[in-house]
């Protein structure tokens, strides 16, 4: 009798525990869903308290996985870490995932955690370098050892590769990535309509020969601008997102404007060199065409002298800079029998 | 008495000024022709006459095939020796211009009973065409400005490093021939626009056909010329000459271009070629309007008609384009060319294109390296062109600007910008030197007139005032002239140095300085390929990273799994996975691909840093016992600068077959599977 009672109580107790834990679990999930709905783009902001509530306290297996983005506000300005960009991509993955599952998924949640606020959680996870993204599976007991880390290769193609990582580890499909378009449909439609409206007017002006496009000076300045843009390596700076200048590593007060080493350059460097090039060319053109009309002989001579000196200095400067930067020592070849 | 006697003898040899000029010009052109050829021969003199790099080996192999089997077999060739087991349709996936040209030269030389080997022809094709390019540059310069500018352009382009980089002797690649074809087509087209003659238009269409057969960069021509035509139309320079020239080029050129299988129907289907079609239809509209204007006498009515027609035409064109793109008939821009318009595209979406070192954006030091003085003269030349606007100068300005922009996006495209930069700089140099020398010569003329003619007081006074400023002007002009010549001589020095040091290395043979300053040559690659050729069965399959594929098939004469064509990224990924997995997993992949030998490149002994480091085990097998550098422990990796950790590597499924004398290339044989019961 006592045995029956004992077994019965054990069973009821365990059922109760299961039910309560199940109830506890569904409470957690509901909490997470509310937090998700409140947050921007579906990324829940975690701190020490919520980490313990949702991750360390509940028993495994938890009903959900968590993908966490580790962030640090004071590192946002370091371009090589790309924290802002990766954060944005992470948000895009999160919002795409939620939209594709019609906000009804409870298996995977996205969160981010900031260093200053939650240093102990960082220690819990054992994170000591950024950027860092971790996937905490339902069965992970120790946050440090049992969670999956997203590595550099998974960041390389941003949202697409992050989504693949998620799919591979959690077996949940993320679906197509929804990126906000550069111009919304409304804006696009407006612009097209405007273009169509101006078309007859523009055509008329073109045929009359009155547009701005007919003035050679506009074309000339456009041409010089294209030349300046290309030659100064501005394209290189834009593609590689090079900064204008760097802070000297040894002496934090000094700024480094010129990068030593061929194949790479800094922003200010590009502008300086481009300016020097353009100055020489334009001065030559100025001397040949504009100076001829000046009446005063002394003024002419002074201008000529000035042009000569400036051009000479500019060319010398550029060549010195180039030799310093690339380290090449360019010399002529004399016959070896002359040495 | 003797004076007149000698002058009588010399009289038939005394040339008139015009003839003197012609003689000087011809002499200069001959010298420039020879110079362009000679300056590209550094590597032939230093090493030997061989083909450089990786891609030229494929071109060499196909040229060999053409000479041995004839054109039709080449055109229908299916190559089963590369991309095993997929094979490659060679005839339909290459640009045949280079190979056919070399084969024709080879046939011609044999016809004249010069028994040269095809390899010599291949090695020297690029310098030969570079010399021809200088001639074309002369004629082009003459067309745009005058013959003085033409001569300077020829000289500048003969030594310009931007061009030399891809046309040294031994660099048997498409660009060597393509730049000649590019400039030639442009010259013929500008000539056609200037003269309005149908013959020149026809010639330009054939020039375009040659360009299409030579290089994929023909897309630049088929977009630049319509853009140029559009600019002319917008600035009100429509004329019958333009109409004839463009129509002839577009229609005939398009029909001819479709003969190349690799291009196929792209001229009517691909988004990259739609600009040309659009401009073609626009030209018809312009012609129609011109005709209507000619027929109508009422200008107001004509203006109305004009507005309506143009709007309708543009709207119809836009709708047609939209329908074409939406239905998928017109394909959008391919990734390769789209990344030129949006340079950040390749980095995010097509990693294999973004990883090629030639596709990196250009820093200013690269421009300086390849152009030197020409960069300073370029804006001056632009200004001169704008001062004397004509159809031809507008063209060269557009060519220069577009090519400079693209050169800024991708280092490799500096090559395309070189002819334009040389031509525009030549205009600047020529005009400046001309002005200066006119100044120098005018003084003597004035003095002569002053002394021989009578002394009219008015004339004398004006001459006197002129004479006062003359010495200054003359000295200034002399100084400037010397400055200009000094600048040009520095340019020549720079170009020679760059050619000799930077662009004349055949990557297949490495050279270094020994401890006593003597030159040490590493010929490991060819050693390994010839070992393969002589010591492996004929149907052996070799797995290596795709960089070496072309060389293995050309020199080793064995089947490879992947090569430089990189047309199948999945296949490459499979090989990459095999190379970087543990030996057991890799062995499964290797068996599934039917591989017999594995080839890796390793630089730890020589300090050669561009090797295959991630094939860890294969690279470092037995390396632990090796003493590489005096004073360092055995197993010191000279490329990475550290001692390796695991010195005792055991291989289970592969065995070492051959290691070259400097350990640069290592070949491993795949052991057959164990017998199973």
């Amino acid at each position: 009798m006592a045995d029956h009672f004992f077994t019965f109580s054990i069973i009821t107790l365990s059922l109760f525990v299961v039910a309560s834990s199940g109830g506890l679990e569904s409470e957690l999930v509901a909490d997470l869903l509310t937090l998700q709905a409140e947050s921007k783009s579906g990324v829940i902001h975690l701190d020490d308290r919520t980490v313990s509530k949702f991750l360390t306290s509940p028993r495994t297996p938890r009903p959900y996985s968590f993908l966490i983005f580790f962030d640090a506000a004071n590192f946002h300005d370091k371009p090589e870490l790309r924290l802002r960009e990766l954060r944005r991509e992470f948000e895009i993955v999160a919002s795409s995932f939620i939209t594709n599952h019609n906000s009804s998924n409870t298996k995977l949640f996205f969160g981010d955690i900031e260093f200053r606020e939650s240093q102990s959680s960082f220690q819990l996870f054992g994170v000591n370098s950024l950027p860092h993204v971790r996937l905490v599976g339902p069965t992970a007991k120790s946050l440090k050892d049992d969670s999956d880390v997203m590595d550099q290769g998974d960041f390389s193609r941003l949202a697409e590769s992050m989504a693949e990582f998620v799919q591979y580890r959690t077996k949940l499909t993320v679906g197509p990535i929804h990126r906000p378009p550069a111009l919304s449909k409304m804006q696009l439609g407006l612009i097209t309509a405007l273009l169509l409206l101006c078309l007859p007017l523009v055509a008329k002006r073109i045929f009359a020969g009155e547009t701005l496009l007919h003035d050679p000076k506009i074309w000339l300045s456009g041409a010089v601008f294209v030349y300046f843009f290309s030659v100064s390596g501005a394209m290189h700076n834009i593609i590689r997102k090079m900064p204008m200048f760097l802070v000297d590593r040894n002496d934090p007060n000094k700024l480094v404007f010129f990068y030593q080493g061929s194949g790479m350059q800094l922003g200010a460097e590009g502008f300086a060199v481009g300016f020097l090039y353009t100055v020489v060319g334009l001065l030559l053109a100025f001397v040949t065409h504009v100076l001829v009309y000046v009446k005063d002989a002394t003024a002419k001579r002074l201008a000529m002298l000035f042009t000569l000196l400036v051009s000479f200095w500019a060319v010398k400067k550029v060549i010195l800079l180039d030799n310093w930067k690339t380290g090449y020592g360019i010399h002529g070849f004399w016959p070896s029998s002359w040495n | 008495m003797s004076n007149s006697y000698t002058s009588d003898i010399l009289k038939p040899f005394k040339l008139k000024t015009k003839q003197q000029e012609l003689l000087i010009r011809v002499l200069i052109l001959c010298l420039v022709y020879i110079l362009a050829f000679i300056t590209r021969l550094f590597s032939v003199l230093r090493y030997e006459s061989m083909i450089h790099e990786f891609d030229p080996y494929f071109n060499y192999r196909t040229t060999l095939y053409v000479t041995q089997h004839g054109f039709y077999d080449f055109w229908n060739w299916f190559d089963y020796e590369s991309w095993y087991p997929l094979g490659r349709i060679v005839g339909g996936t290459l640009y045949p211009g280079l190979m056919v040209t070399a084969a024709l030269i080879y046939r011609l030389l044999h016809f004249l009973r010069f028994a040269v080997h095809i390899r010599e022809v291949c090695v020297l094709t690029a310098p030969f065409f570079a010399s021809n390019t200088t001639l074309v540059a002369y004629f082009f310069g003459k067309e745009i400005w005058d013959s003085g500018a033409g001569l300077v352009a020829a000289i500048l382009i003969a030594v310009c490093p931007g061009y030399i980089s891809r046309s040294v002797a031994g660099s048997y690649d498409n660009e060597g021939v393509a730049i000649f074809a590019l400039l030639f087509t442009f010259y013929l087209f500008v000539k056609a626009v200037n003269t309005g003659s149908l013959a020149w238009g026809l010639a330009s269409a054939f020039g375009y056909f040659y360009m299409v057969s030579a290089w994929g960069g023909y897309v630049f021509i088929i977009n630049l010329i319509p853009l140029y035509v559009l600019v002319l139309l917008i600035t009100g320079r429509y004329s019958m000459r333009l109409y004839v020239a463009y129509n002839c080029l577009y229609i005939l050129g398009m029909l001819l271009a479709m003969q190349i299988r690799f291009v196929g129907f792209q001229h009517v289907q691909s988004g990259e070629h739609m600009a040309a079609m659009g401009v073609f239809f626009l030209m018809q509209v312009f012609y129609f309007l011109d005709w209507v204007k000619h027929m109508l006498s009422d200008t107001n009515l004509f203006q109305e008609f004009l507005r309506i027609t143009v709007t309708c035409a543009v709207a119809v064109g836009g709708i047609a384009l939209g329908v074409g793109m939406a239905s998928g008939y017109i394909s959008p821009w391919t990734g390769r060319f789209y990344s030129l318009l949006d340079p950040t595209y390749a980095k995010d979406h097509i990693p294999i294109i973004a990883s090629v070192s030639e596709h990196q954006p250009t820093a200013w030091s690269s421009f300086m390296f390849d152009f030197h003085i020409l960069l300073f003269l370029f804006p001056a030349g632009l200004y001169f062109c704008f001062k004397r606007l004509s159809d031809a100068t507008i063209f060269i300005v557009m060519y220069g600007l577009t090519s400079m922009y693209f050169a800024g996006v991708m280092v490799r495209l500096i090559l395309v910008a070189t002819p334009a930069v040389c031509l525009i700089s030549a205009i600047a140099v020529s005009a400046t030197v001309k002005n200066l020398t006119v100044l120098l010569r005018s003084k003597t003329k004035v003095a002569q007139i002053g002394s021989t003619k009578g002394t009219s007081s008015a004339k004398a006074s004006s001459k006197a005032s002129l004479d006062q400023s003359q010495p200054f002007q003359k000295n200034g002009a002399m100084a400037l002239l010397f400055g200009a010549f000094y600048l040009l001589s520095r340019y020549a020095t720079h170009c020679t140095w760059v050619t000799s040091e930077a662009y004349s290395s055949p990557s297949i043979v490495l050279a270094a300085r020994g401890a006593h300053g003597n030159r040490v040559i590493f010929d490991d690659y060819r050693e390994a390929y010839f070992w393969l050729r002589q010591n492996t069965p004929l149907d052996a399959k070799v797995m290596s990273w795709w960089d070496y594929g072309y060389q293995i098939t050309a020199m080793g004469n064995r089947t490879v799994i992947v090569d430089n064509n990189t047309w199948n990224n999945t296949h490459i990924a499979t090989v990459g996975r095999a190379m970087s997995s543990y030996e057991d997993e890799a062995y499964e992949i290797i068996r599934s691909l039917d591989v017999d030998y594995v080839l890796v490149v390793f630089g730890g002994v020589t300090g050669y840093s561009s090797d295959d480091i991630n094939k860890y085990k294969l690279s470092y097998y037995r390396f632990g016992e090796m003493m590489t550098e005096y004073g360092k422990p055995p197993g010191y990796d000279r490329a990475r600068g550290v001692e390796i950790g695991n010195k005792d590597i055991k291989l289970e499924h592969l065995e070492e077959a051959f290691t070259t004398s400097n350990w640069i290339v290592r070949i491993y044989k795949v052991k057959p599977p164990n017998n199973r019961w």
Side-chain angles (χ1 to χ4, degrees), chain B residues 21-180:
Chain B
E21 215 180 297
L22 185 64
L23 179 66
I24 294 179
R25 259 192 279 152
V26 169
L27 264 178
I28 291 181
L29 277 178
C30 283
L31 286 175
V32 166
Y33 193 92
I34 297 176
L35 174 68
F37 194 86
I38 294 181
T39 190
R40 287 163 167 81
L41 293 180
F42 274 103
S43 73
V44 173
L45 294 171
R46 280 185 190 154
Y47 303 96
E48 61 178 272
S49 154
M50 66 179 144
I51 314 244
H52 300 351
E53 302 267 327
F54 302 110
D55 277 357
Y57 274 98
F58 173 69
N59 298 332
Y60 173 60
R61 187 162 157 253
T62 46
T63 316
L64 210 55
Y65 195 87
V66 173
T67 50
Q68 285 165 352
H69 299 260
F71 182 71
Y72 284 104
D73 277 343
F74 162 72
W75 204 228
N76 295 309
W77 185 21
F78 178 80
D79 183 20
Y80 51 81
E81 283 188 353
S82 58
W83 293 91
Y84 186 85
L86 307 165
R88 178 188 170 176
I89 307 172
V90 175
T93 55
L94 56 54
Y95 289 103
L98 176 69
M99 298 85 183
V100 171
T101 313
L104 281 175
I105 296 178
Y106 171 78
R107 284 274 157 76
L108 178 68
L109 286 174
H110 271 252
F111 177 74
L112 295 173
R113 302 295 179 259
F114 289 110
V116 292
H117 191 272
I118 182 70
R119 195 192 60 233
E120 317 299 339
V121 174
C122 291
V123 163
L124 294 176
T125 299
F128 172 61
F129 273 92
S131 304
N132 295 343
T133 309
T134 60
L135 287 182
V136 177
Y138 164 68
F139 285 111
F140 203 176
K142 199 159 107 153
E143 191 64 33
I144 298 176
W145 201 256
D146 62 17
S147 57
L151 284 175
V152 179
I155 299 173
L156 290 178
I157 207 172
V159 284
C160 190
Y163 185 23
I164 290 187
S165 63
R166 303 291 292 197
S167 66
V168 276
S171 169
Y172 183 55
D173 210 351
N174 296 52
E175 287 95 345
V177 175
I179 296 299
F180 166 74

Side-chain angles (χ1 to χ4, degrees), chain A residues 262-277:
Chain A
S262 64
M264 284 255 279
Q265 63 177 74
L266 297 170
E269 187 182 342
F271 281 120
V273 173
F275 170 70
L276 285 175
Y277 283 143

Side-chain angles (χ1 to χ4, degrees), chain A residues 73-254:
Chain A
N74 50 338
F75 284 161
H76 274 190
D77 292 323
K78 291 209 193 251
E80 61 267 14
L81 297 178
R82 295 161 49 189
L83 279 175
R84 283 213 184 95
E85 189 187 359
L86 290 170
R87 178 80 216 275
R88 261 201 310 273
E89 295 291 318
F90 186 74
E91 281 173 16
I92 290 176
V93 173
S95 54
S96 309
F97 180 81
I98 293 168
T99 340
N100 290 336
H101 287 257
N102 293 331
S103 314
S104 67
N105 117 91
T106 53
K107 289 278 186 338
L108 173 64
F109 290 99
F110 294 84
D112 77 332
I113 186 164
E114 215 271 324
F115 179 64
R116 286 257 184 86
E117 300 170 349
S118 336
Q119 281 190 18
S120 54
S121 300
F122 268 67
Q123 274 184 342
L124 258 181
F125 278 96
V127 175
N128 44 18
S129 72
L130 288 179
H132 200 88
V133 178
R134 244 182 231 246
L135 177 69
V136 181
T139 52
K141 282 211 167 37
S142 153
L143 291 178
K144 196 191 292 201
D145 304 317
D146 293 341
S147 45
D148 297 318
V149 179
M150 208 189 263
D151 61 22
Q152 223 24 52
D154 296 319
F155 286 142
S156 59
R157 280 176 306 119
L158 304 172
E160 279 81 4
S161 46
M162 286 190 199
E164 280 177 11
F165 173 83
V166 167
Q167 264 167 238
Y168 184 62
R169 302 287 175 156
T170 62
K171 312 281 184 278
L172 295 166
T173 48
V174 176
I177 306 273
H178 303 287
R179 283 178 190 277
L183 292 168
S184 68
K185 281 211 167 40
M186 188 68 134
Q187 286 172 320
L188 210 59
L190 208 63
I191 291 178
T192 331
L194 275 173
L195 272 176
L196 281 174
L197 281 173
C198 328
L199 205 56
L201 293 164
V202 168
K204 174 174 178 240
R205 290 279 294 277
I206 286 178
F207 283 108
E210 286 164 19
T211 54
L212 215 59
L213 289 174
H214 283 267
D215 187 2
K217 290 205 185 42
I218 301 286
W219 289 97
L220 177 62
S221 38
V224 173
F225 172 70
V226 171
Y227 162 77
F228 174 82
F229 180 79
S230 308
V231 152
S232 61
M235 209 64 203
H236 169 272
N237 291 345
I238 290 177
I239 294 178
R240 295 262 179 93
K241 298 191 183 37
M242 300 295 289
M244 271 302 205
F245 51 81
L246 289 175
V247 180
D248 197 356
R249 252 185 273 189
N250 303 328
D251 180 8
N253 294 329
K254 261 206 320 184

Side-chain angles (χ1 to χ4, degrees), chain A residues 156-158 160 199-201 203-204 206-207 213-214 216 219-220 223-224 226-227 229-233 235-236 238-241 261-265 269-270 273 276-278 280-282 284-286 288-290 300-301 304 308 314-315 318-319 321-322 325-326 328-333, chain B residues 42 231 233-236 286 289 303 306-307 310-311 314-315 343-344 347-349 351 360-369 372-373 375-380 382-384 386-387 389 397 401-402 404-406 408-409 428 432 435 469 472-473 480 487 490 493-494 496-498 500-501:
Chain A
S156 59
R157 280 176 306 119
L158 304 172
E160 279 81 4
L199 205 56
L201 293 164
K204 174 174 178 240
I206 286 178
F207 283 108
L213 289 174
H214 283 267
W219 289 97
L220 177 62
V224 173
V226 171
Y227 162 77
F229 180 79
S230 308
V231 152
S232 61
M235 209 64 203
H236 169 272
I238 290 177
I239 294 178
R240 295 262 179 93
K241 298 191 183 37
S262 64
M264 284 255 279
Q265 63 177 74
E269 187 182 342
V273 173
L276 285 175
Y277 283 143
T278 323
V280 171
L282 287 183
L284 175 62
F286 168 76
T288 329
H289 282 284
V290 178
K300 266 204 274 199
R301 274 182 219 139
M304 277 286 291
L308 278 172
V315 173
V318 171
I319 300 210
L321 201 60
D322 185 54
K325 184 183 172 72
T326 54
Y328 294 135
I330 297 178
H331 56 89
F333 294 101
Chain B
F42 274 103
V231 166
L233 291 178
I234 290 181
T235 50
F286 261 81
L289 288 172
Q303 295 285 4
L306 186 71
R307 241 185 302 164
V310 170
T311 320
V314 174
T344 51
K347 200 159 63 98
D348 296 333
H349 296 265
Q360 302 310 311
T362 327
W364 70 267
S365 52
S366 311
F367 273 115
M368 193 64 192
F369 193 66
H372 203 245
I373 277 311
L375 283 178
F376 291 103
L377 299 171
F378 189 77
L382 278 182
Y383 189 79
F384 279 112
F386 270 98
K387 273 296 156 185
L389 272 181
V397 164
L401 290 174
T402 46
M404 278 297 263
Y405 168 72
F406 288 130
V409 173
T432 314
N435 288 338
S469 54
F472 255 125
Q473 272 193 351
L480 278 178
L487 220 57
R490 293 298 306 171
T493 314
H494 173 92
T496 321
W497 185 91
V498 165
S500 160
E501 299 299 313

